Amino acid sequence: MLGFLQGFSYGLFMTCLPWLLVGLINPALAHPALAPSRLLVILRYCLVVPSLSVLLWLTSLWGGFSPSLFGWLAGIVAIPVALPLERTLRGWLERRRQRRQQAQSAAELNKRRAREEQKAYEPGVSVLDPARPPVGADDLVLAMCKAKQNLLDVQRPDLAIQADRLYSRYRHVVDVLGSRFHTGELTFERSRSLVTQVCLGAVDTLGTMASQARGVISVDGNYVRRRLSQENKRLNEEERAALVRRLDLLVETEQRLNSLSARIESALTVLDDTSVAMAQIETARPQASVTTEKALDDLRRFVEGADRYARKD
């Protein structure tokens, strides 16, 4: 065994110079790093590998001087055998690190979107469950559920909130109309038809938002920004331009989504205006025979003269 180590150390030391020359010409051939450089090659074959071979040689001297031919041959082929194995191991570790970073980025993104969702929800907003629509849901509410599910499928829960807000406004407007008009009245049917058309337009906008978001679902903005910030000096012009283009796609998509969100806000504002206008309409017959102001005046005068009804005895 010690003779094998002696021969191995001799063979390993002899191959340092040839591999150093190869690495100076093309560092990728002599170093397993993902981004090798000539400095890494020099450190590897002028310091690390020679030190390892000298350490093995000194360790093997305890058994005397008897290097074996098999050990010498093993030392010669050690580097060409170890390079692809080490390169494979480094690649696997790098992919594992990237998966962990992507998982961490996704978790941070989900947390941030969850916080944005909590801030975005208004008091009194009803949350739609696409898997279990409300009992007695009409076609419009079912379309809202489908639109929300589409947004959730493209990992945009921050946009899916718009479906909940739209459903809450729609239900409130219908309740207000039902309290002001009878179901069979022409005014009720006409008003509800207009409200339904506004909501259908908003649902179409939600569908467009889902389509826009689906186009960039595979683009990881955090990964691209990290590549540009950490490896900017090592990127060539073509790769840098490709990464910058990915960011531009994300920015352009977000701008279009913001524009579509503005349309949703306009529809919600129209529904709010409708609710307020309908709530101000007095359709019920007044129960009092006099106005409130006249009743207050009469009651005030009665209180002022109440002492006249006191008993004199």
Side-chain angles (χ1 to χ4, degrees), residues 199-242:
C199 293
L200 285 175
V203 170
D204 292 339
T205 303
L206 292 175
T208 304
M209 294 170 70
S211 300
Q212 295 287 339
R214 185 175 290 106
V216 293
I217 189 175
S218 60
V219 181
D220 189 348
N222 293 328
Y223 170 75
V224 175
R225 296 184 186 92
R226 187 167 58 251
R227 287 285 307 278
L228 288 175
S229 61
Q230 297 179 356
E231 304 180 10
N232 189 30
K233 295 181 180 179
R234 291 181 289 182
L235 296 176
N236 55 45
E237 292 298 328
E238 184 178 359
E239 186 174 4
R240 185 181 296 106

Side-chain angles (χ1 to χ4, degrees), residues 76-92:
I76 291 178
V77 301
I79 291 179
V81 171
L83 280 176
L85 295 177
E86 186 178 354
R87 188 175 289 112
T88 302
L89 178 61
R90 285 174 177 265
W92 178 78

Side-chain angles (χ1 to χ4, degrees), residues 104-226:
Q104 183 178 2
S105 300
E108 293 176 355
L109 179 61
N110 291 333
K111 290 181 180 179
R112 185 171 65 253
R113 286 179 174 175
R115 291 193 297 267
E116 293 176 354
E117 287 180 33
Q118 294 178 355
K119 294 179 181 179
Y121 269 115
E122 300 170 303
V125 172
S126 301
V127 180
L128 279 174
D129 186 356
R132 292 186 294 273
V135 178
D138 54 16
D139 293 338
L140 177 57
V141 176
L142 294 178
M144 294 179 187
C145 293
K146 182 179 179 181
K148 181 178 181 179
Q149 185 62 54
N150 291 336
L151 290 170
L152 293 175
D153 291 340
V154 295
Q155 302 176 6
R156 294 305 300 263
D158 55 320
L159 300 178
I161 300 173
Q162 302 290 2
D164 298 330
R165 300 176 64 202
L166 180 63
Y167 168 68
S168 301
R169 294 304 202 287
Y170 169 71
R171 192 177 66 176
H172 179 61
V173 171
V174 172
D175 291 342
V176 171
L177 290 176
S179 65
R180 287 293 178 263
F181 305 100
H182 294 293
T183 306
E185 291 187 43
L186 180 62
T187 305
F188 175 83
E189 296 297 335
R190 177 60 176 167
S191 302
R192 182 165 182 172
S193 176
L194 294 175
V195 169
T196 301
Q197 291 301 318
V198 172
C199 293
L200 285 175
V203 170
D204 292 339
T205 303
L206 292 175
T208 304
M209 294 170 70
S211 300
Q212 295 287 339
R214 185 175 290 106
V216 293
I217 189 175
S218 60
V219 181
D220 189 348
N222 293 328
Y223 170 75
V224 175
R225 296 184 186 92
R226 187 167 58 251

